[in-house]
Structure formats: structure tokens, C-alpha cells
Amino acid sequence: MAQHVHAQSSAATLDPPVLGAGQDYETITEAVAEIPLGKRTPFGWIVGFLIGLAGLGALQLAIGYLLLKGVYIWGNNVPVGWAFDIINFVWWIGIGHAGTLISAILMLFKQQWRMSIARFAEAMTIFAVACAALFPLLHTGRPWLAAYWLFPYPNTMGLWPQFRSPLIWDVFAVSTYATVSVVFWIVGLIPDLATMRDRATSAVKRKVFGTLALGWRGSARHWHRYEVASIILAGLSTPLVLSVHSVVSFDFAVSVIPGWHAAIFPPYFVAGAIYSGFGMVLTLAIPIRHAYRLEHLITMKHIDNMAKVMLATGLIVAYGYSMEAFFGWYSASFYERFMLWNRMTGPYAWSYWLLIFINAGLVNVLWFRKVRYNLKFMFVMSLIVNLAMWLERFVIIVTSLHRDFVVSSWDMYSPTKWDFMMFGGTMGLFLTLFFLFMRFVPMISIFEMKTLLPEAKVHVPHGHGDGHGH
Amino acid sequence: MHVSNEKTGLYGLMAEFDTAQGIVDASTKAVGAGYTKLEAYTPFPIEELNDIIHKRRTHLPKVVLFMAFCGMGTGFALQYWASTIAYPFNVGGRPLATWPAFVVPSYELTILFSALTAAIGMLALNGFPQPYHPVFNVERFTTASTDKFFLVIEAEDGRFTKEQTGAFLQGLGAKGVYDVAH
């Protein structure tokens, strides 16, 4: 697999390497393993964790009050029956997609630069999916009753879910996505947990990591099965991640609402998901590599490549906008044309034009190498991209709904403080989980990074190593 | 599995190597010398070692493929049964067995079953969780997950004698040869 390729093959070119100079097995292990094993907790970590906890507190408050009062405390009401709950759901789920793309799709393509960012990008996926799942679940009003019509199980009322509804497809897609992401992540962690076990100095840490490592000892037979399982999981995650956001887009595309009923939605949603996901990976990677001095593992090559993926997917999304406009006009449907006109000139036009400005205009600065290599700018850009992708969902959902077929039912939507508290709260949940992850889990795959070293490459004498057995 | 007197109490002999190439060469020579009960331990995957020592690939992909079909069948059967038999629900006079609508959950269950099989199957075939293994008795083995490479020839091997095998491992350029207690 990918481990037998030289990291330094690009040394002669202008490209920065995927691994800094002067590294060996021990320095890589130490750089990553010392973060969770070290006794000292960095001050910045404590501050960040406390901010996360504050947000988590706000989330608990928002959920508690919601369960007490009901969903009327949110701003959504007819005709805008879906608003922050689904905007934030799609936004979070989309962010998660970059993690799977990095860990699975780029693994199949043998992209070495994925190795140092895959672990925490996948953690980002899992936490983002957890945040996303809260919204539709809580939008049901009484989430403990939602199981009756979300999950197929023989209940006493003899009811079964409506399998013809994209909302049920979404339940299957998102829960499968969450499960497979967690499984893939845990499998990827096992050898590194064994490294942590072997390097731990305290008995408690040794026991905890030892238990989690399941007895991993790195035998050739085990590595073989491990590598086969990893590539299968990557191969399964690839169609999965493409299907998840396609299914999310079906929630809209299968309906008859002008602005939603469009065949371009699945690919356009998937591209948007990867675009915002890479934005979030950059938002996380840029401060992490600086704070933990991991510049030799997460190099400028990684930042550069992620910026390029953002540029490509951003332009696909921009193409999606132009196609939406074209379809609206070409459909010759009065309602489609009105929706488009309303989106561009109506009361929410500011959100549409801001979105177009960022995703079709500003994103083009990433064509320039100087820009991609400017860390401060890339950090700001990653935040702007995520703002834009949030706006995209706002535009799609709110402007399509607020002026529908009958003029008498038109209305404006504005979120309440509980909407904002809930949304901010999920960011707190995400931050809390991510800071815990950074402190207690090796956030870069140690064993995979070692395979990038030239000394990890082996040569098998001729006549041996015929692997085609039975 | 015959264990002669001189071998009792010993799981095998462990040789330590500094480099990936070292363990590959040593494994090749040990297999060439006729040893069959041996295993290499490395800090990262060296796929060639499985080819050299075990000479066969795992059956895991076939198991996963089988479970993929099971997942697809389960997903489709569940929806068909729930929608047409257990809870027939007339939506605008459309047919009950609307199979195109059943594709998405069937697809998701295909992936779910396969992924769980790949992960659990890998762990099960590897015999995990396995808290105890004799190799952990060797103190130097804690470096096996960082930067050292180990070759263990087990006492169960027909050619194993402590002296000769020890000398053989030394001859392979091992940095150290250790007894592995049971």
C-alpha cells in the first residue's frame, strides 16, 4: 500500500515535502505521542476547552427549555416550517464530509499528504455528525418518541416507518455514516493506542491505553488483515460519503417546492459539503500545527493541497448556482422564475449576493500561490468559506419557502434567541469534544506517518514473497 | 505440536532489528532455513512480511462481500415486508411495493453490514481483544510499537532448539536475542 513510496520524491521540485526534513521513527512518535501522554496541559488548551464548555452549557440550556416549552420557541413557522434546524443540520453534516474524503477517498488514491491530517479530520467528522444529528432529532419535539417513526422496529402500535420518504432515507444514511465513521476511526487508532500503551509512564495510562489497544502487537499477520480491513473500509466509505449528502439533498429535491425541486442537487450538495469541510479542516489545522509545533508533520504542502481542493469544489458549487439560475429561467415555470427573482431581488437578496460574492468571486483568490501560502489569510478564508456555506443553506431553505405559491401565505422568517443559542451551543459541543480529543488521543496517525520515511521502504530479494496463495 | 523437555517454559526466541530492511532480510532467511513457526513484529505495516512468512492472504474480503449481500437483502426485505405486509399504506393509489424508493435504505444497509464485518472480522481473525501474549514478557518489546523490529521463532517449530536457533538469529545480524517466556 501507500507506505512504500518515498516522501522525498518531490525534493527536487518546488513543492514542499509532505514530511519535514530530519525525521525518523522516534521523532515522529514523540511529536505526536507526547501531546496526550504529557503531564502538562497547555494554557491555550484550558482556555479553548472552557470556551467549549460554556457553549455546551448554553446548548444544554437551549435543549432544556426547548423540551419544556416545545418547538414554538424557535423562529420557524408556516410557511417557513424548516429553518435553523435544517440549515444547521446540513451545515454540520457537510463539514463532516471532508474528514471522510481525506481518510477514505484520498486513501484509495494513495495520496500521502492525507496521512497527517486524516485522524483529526475524521474526529471532526464524527463530532460534526453528532452536532448535526441533534437538530432533526430535537425538531421532532419529543425526541424520545421519534423512534416510533424513524427506526424500523416492531412497536406495540404496529406502526412502520414510511420508507418512501427521503426523511427516512436520511435516517438510514446519516446513522450508517455516523456508525461507519466511528468504526473506521477506531480501527485506525488501534496501532497508535498500542504505541501509547508502550510509551505511557504511569500505570493508569498504561492500563487505559492497553485496554483500548485490545492487545495489538504489530505482528505481520495482524498488519496484513489490518491493511486489508482498512482498504475495505475506505472503499466502503467512499460511496457512503457521496451517498450521504446526496440523500440529504433528496430531502429537498424530492419535494415540489420551487428552488428545491432540481436534479442538480445531489452533486451540487456533495461538492458544497467537501468545500465547507475542507474549510473546517483548515480552520482546525492552522492553529493546531502552530500550537503543538507540528509544522514538520502538517506542512505547507497540506495547506496548499487543501486550498486547491477548496478552490475546485468552490467552483463546482458556483457552477451549481449558475445552473440553478439557468434551470429557473429555462423551466418556463412561473413559480420557478419568481423564486429566482425573489432570491435575487427580494427581502433576502443580501444573503444571496453575499453568497455569490464569496463562492463565485472571492474563492478565486485561491488560484494564487502567494495566497495559498499565507497562513493568516488562509485561516480567515476558511472561516469565510464556512460562513458562505451556511448562507447557502439559508438561501436554499428560507428564500424558497418564505414566498410560496399563494401570495396570502407569504411571510418573513427571523430566528429567535433560542435558535442562535442552540446553534452556538452545538459549536460548544464540537469544541468540547475536539479539545478532549486533542488532549487524550494521538491526533496524527503515528504508524502511517512512519511509512513516509525512506527507511520504511524495503526491498524483497528475488524468489521470495510470492503473495498469491489460497 | 510436540514440545520436548528442553523447550518447556519457553515460547520462543526473539531477535531485535534496527531497520525495516533488516527484519525483511532476516525473515526471508529464517523461512529459507526451514523455520515455519515464526512471526515478525513491526511498528508499521510491511506488507511484504506477510507474503514472506505466511504466504497467503486473508479471507476477510470474501466474508465482507457475503455480508454485503446479506445487508442488501435485509434492507430490501425489511422495507418490502413492512410496506406491503405488515403496514400496507395507500399513498394516492400508488403501488405498495415501490421498489425504487427502497433502494436507498438497502444501499445504506449494504455498507453498514460490510463495514461492521470488515472491522469486527479483522479484530476477530486477529484474536482481539487479547490482553496477554508471551511476546509482551520481553522488556525490549515495548519498542516494537515505536522504532524496533522483532522476529520471533517459536519453540513449537520442529527445527527449534535454543542453542542452534539462538545462534542462527545472532547470525542474521540481530541487535539482541531474548528468551520469550510463556
Side-chain angles (χ1 to χ4, degrees):
Chain A
M1 275 162 216
Q3 73 268 18
H4 307 303
V5 193
H6 272 290
Q8 269 73 5
S9 58
S10 58
T13 69
L14 278 173
D15 270 351
V18 288
L19 186 62
Q23 299 299 312
D24 60 38
Y25 301 134
E26 173 61 31
T27 57
I28 291 174
T29 314
E30 167 139 12
V32 181
E34 278 316 301
I35 298 167
L37 286 177
K39 286 200 174 66
R40 205 176 57 85
T41 303
F43 180 71
W45 186 91
I46 297 172
V47 173
F49 184 63
L50 286 178
I51 294 172
L53 273 188
L56 185 61
L59 179 67
Q60 287 173 323
L61 195 64
I63 293 178
Y65 194 67
L66 177 81
L67 295 181
L68 204 65
K69 291 290 187 180
V71 286
Y72 88 91
I73 66 165
W74 288 349
N76 35 338
N77 206 339
V78 177
V80 187
W82 268 6
F84 258 45
D85 42 353
I86 195 91
I87 296 169
N88 299 336
F89 166 74
V90 179
W91 188 74
W92 275 120
I93 281 274
I95 283 172
H97 279 44
T100 320
L101 180 103
I102 292 169
S103 62
I105 302 183
L106 296 185
M107 182 183 195
L108 294 184
F109 286 124
K110 300 192 175 183
Q111 293 293 306
Q112 298 167 2
W113 63 276
R114 117 204 129 77
M115 287 179 182
S116 66
I117 51 175
R119 171 80 46 78
F120 76 80
E122 252 181 284
M124 175 194 84
T125 296
I126 294 165
F127 304 151
V129 171
C131 291
L134 281 177
F135 287 98
L137 206 62
L138 289 167
H139 192 204
T140 63
R142 296 285 177 267
W144 53 93
L145 300 178
Y148 288 128
W149 37 273
L150 291 183
F151 289 107
Y153 78 101
N155 58 61
T156 49
M157 294 177 290
L159 291 170
W160 287 88
Q162 172 58 278
F163 289 109
R164 298 167 193 98
S165 161
L167 297 177
I168 286 298
W169 304 347
D170 220 7
V171 172
F172 276 83
V174 172
S175 54
T176 299
Y177 183 48
T179 313
V180 173
S181 297
V182 170
V183 165
F184 198 10
W185 190 67
I186 290 175
V187 166
L189 266 173
I190 292 171
D192 282 357
L193 292 170
T195 306
M196 307 298 286
R197 169 198 68 202
D198 293 341
R199 293 178 74 93
T201 42
S202 84
V204 177
K205 281 180 188 163
R206 202 156 43 235
K207 277 226 168 67
V208 172
F209 283 119
T211 309
L212 295 173
L214 302 172
W216 181 265
R217 52 186 189 274
S219 84
R221 192 67 183 148
H222 288 177
W223 274 124
H224 167 65
R225 292 198 190 99
Y226 182 87
E227 290 280 277
V228 168
S230 299
I231 208 83
I232 291 175
L233 283 170
L236 290 166
S237 299
T238 299
L240 177 65
V241 70
L242 297 178
S243 83
V244 173
H245 229 59
S246 298
V247 172
V248 168
S249 80
F250 290 162
D251 290 346
F252 305 98
V254 172
S255 77
V256 295
I257 307 287
W260 288 6
H261 190 66
I264 199 175
F265 260 38
Y268 155 51
F269 265 54
V270 171
I274 290 164
Y275 177 52
S276 68
F278 271 88
M280 189 58 113
V281 176
L282 279 171
T283 308
L284 298 169
I286 292 172
I288 284 177
R289 72 194 282 276
H290 177 73
Y292 288 101
R293 292 186 183 83
L294 296 171
E295 284 97 342
H296 56 292
L297 300 181
I298 305 173
T299 67
M300 286 314 293
K301 175 86 182 162
H302 296 92
I303 310 287
D304 187 37
N305 280 357
M306 287 193 273
K308 285 175 182 166
V309 174
M310 250 165 60
L311 175 62
T313 49
L315 292 177
I316 296 175
V317 171
Y319 174 77
Y321 302 145
S322 61
M323 278 300 111
E324 263 189 328
F326 173 76
F327 292 153
W329 168 74
Y330 193 69
S331 70
S333 154
F334 174 78
Y335 297 103
E336 287 282 348
R337 284 181 176 179
F338 172 76
M339 181 281 301
L340 207 69
W341 186 248
N342 181 47
R343 206 175 259 188
M344 291 173 175
T345 64
Y348 294 112
W350 59 270
S351 60
Y352 182 75
W353 292 111
L354 185 56
L355 167 69
I356 296 292
F357 170 71
I358 298 170
N359 285 358
L362 190 61
V363 70
N364 285 297
V365 299
L366 296 175
W367 285 102
F368 299 100
R369 185 183 156 94
K370 269 219 169 74
V371 170
R372 295 197 304 269
Y373 279 72
N374 184 333
L375 281 175
K376 285 192 187 99
F377 181 84
M378 284 309 297
F379 183 71
V380 174
M381 188 67 198
S382 70
L383 294 174
I384 293 176
V385 163
N386 270 311
L387 169 74
M389 286 313 291
W390 189 89
L391 275 176
E392 182 199 292
R393 282 69 179 241
F394 179 87
V395 167
I396 290 175
I397 290 156
V398 175
T399 65
S400 302
L401 286 174
H402 89 117
R403 289 183 173 174
D404 66 359
F405 305 94
V406 187
V407 181
S408 61
S409 67
W410 287 5
D411 206 351
M412 290 294 286
Y413 165 76
S414 55
T416 66
K417 64 179 177 200
W418 296 106
D419 280 306
F420 284 112
M421 200 186 224
M422 177 92 185
F423 183 39
T426 52
M427 290 190 194
L429 172 66
F430 181 83
L431 276 184
T432 307
L433 291 169
F434 205 84
F435 273 93
L436 288 173
F437 160 75
M438 285 199 291
R439 184 67 185 91
F440 295 107
V441 182
M443 64 179 134
I444 292 179
S445 177
I446 303 172
F447 81 88
E448 266 194 311
M449 290 305 287
K450 287 175 190 165
T451 65
L452 288 175
L453 292 166
E455 58 261 42
K457 193 177 162 64
V458 296
H459 168 74
V460 183
H462 193 68
H464 287 285
D466 173 18
H468 303 286
H470 33 267
Chain B
M1 121 168 22
H2 57 107
V3 180
S4 67
N5 287 338
E6 62 172 0
K7 293 170 197 165
T8 11
L10 207 58
Y11 173 78
L13 283 173
M14 177 187 278
E16 178 181 337
F17 298 89
D18 270 337
T19 63
Q21 189 61 51
I23 187 89
V24 169
D25 292 342
S27 306
T28 311
K29 284 179 189 145
V31 171
Y35 287 106
T36 51
K37 301 248 177 203
L38 69 167
E39 183 59 291
Y41 300 86
T42 56
F44 53 84
I46 302 175
E47 188 71 6
E48 288 84 350
L49 283 175
N50 179 63
D51 299 341
I52 294 165
I53 297 172
H54 302 286
K55 297 189 175 68
R56 61 194 162 80
R57 299 188 62 83
T58 173
H59 291 296
L60 188 61
K62 288 167 212 160
V63 184
V64 172
L65 183 66
F66 174 75
M67 287 307 284
F69 285 116
C70 289
M72 191 163 66
T74 304
F76 195 87
L78 169 77
Q79 295 175 83
Y80 185 88
W81 177 79
S83 307
T84 61
I85 298 161
Y87 193 57
F89 195 73
N90 186 335
V91 184
R94 287 176 181 81
L96 293 174
T98 47
W99 67 266
F102 302 158
V103 167
V104 174
S106 309
Y107 176 84
E108 302 297 342
L109 282 188
T110 309
I111 290 178
L112 182 67
F113 274 44
S114 322
L116 290 178
T117 309
I120 297 169
M122 181 272 289
L123 294 178
L125 288 171
N126 282 352
F128 292 146
Q130 186 182 5
Y132 175 78
H133 191 276
V135 290
F136 291 122
N137 291 330
V138 180
E139 208 169 305
R140 286 291 295 169
F141 194 71
T142 52
T143 57
S145 60
T146 297
D147 58 352
K148 296 290 183 269
F149 305 80
F150 294 88
L151 180 67
V152 173
I153 297 184
E154 290 161 27
E156 279 180 15
D157 193 295
R159 290 173 163 268
F160 183 93
T161 61
K162 201 179 165 191
E163 293 71 31
Q164 278 176 15
T165 307
F168 174 75
L169 287 171
Q170 287 288 6
L172 294 176
K175 219 183 113 196
V177 176
Y178 320 107
D179 292 353
V180 185
H182 257 301

